[in-house]
Amino acid sequence: MSPLQAAFVRHNASQCGYCIPGILVAATPLVDRAELTREDVVSELTGNLCRCTGYESIVDAVLDAHQHQHRGEQHGGDQ
């Protein structure tokens, strides 16, 4: 499981699962950015429709995965 997928589980960001493959594909490059804001995530995921989650948990999961990845880089990648 990728760090992004794990964040989706932690934030309960995938309910029915129908939209998740497209959202994960669209969100994966976002996690690699040096800086990422909530507005960036919302803007980049605009074309992905989800009827179940209301998007907040999806945006939170992407930001969480980004923070975890970059926190690991700051500490020598040991996380």
Side-chain angles (χ1 to χ4, degrees):
M1 180 179 296
S2 77
L4 182 58
Q5 291 170 319
F8 269 62
V9 171
R10 281 193 303 275
H11 289 271
N12 196 28
S14 56
Q15 292 184 14
C16 80
Y18 185 80
C19 64
I20 296 308
I23 291 175
L24 288 173
V25 168
T28 296
L30 301 179
V31 174
D32 294 330
R33 289 186 181 180
E35 294 182 18
L36 187 64
T37 66
R38 178 170 289 278
E39 293 77 21
D40 293 334
V41 177
V42 170
S43 175
E44 294 293 331
L45 297 182
T46 297
N48 294 278
L49 303 177
C50 176
R51 297 179 352 163
C52 299
T53 65
Y55 298 101
E56 287 300 313
S57 59
I58 292 171
V59 174
D60 291 342
V62 174
L63 291 169
D64 181 31
H66 177 266
Q67 290 172 350
H68 274 81
Q69 176 166 318
H70 291 279
R71 191 176 319 133
E73 290 174 1
Q74 292 171 357
H75 298 289
D78 58 354
Q79 288 186 357

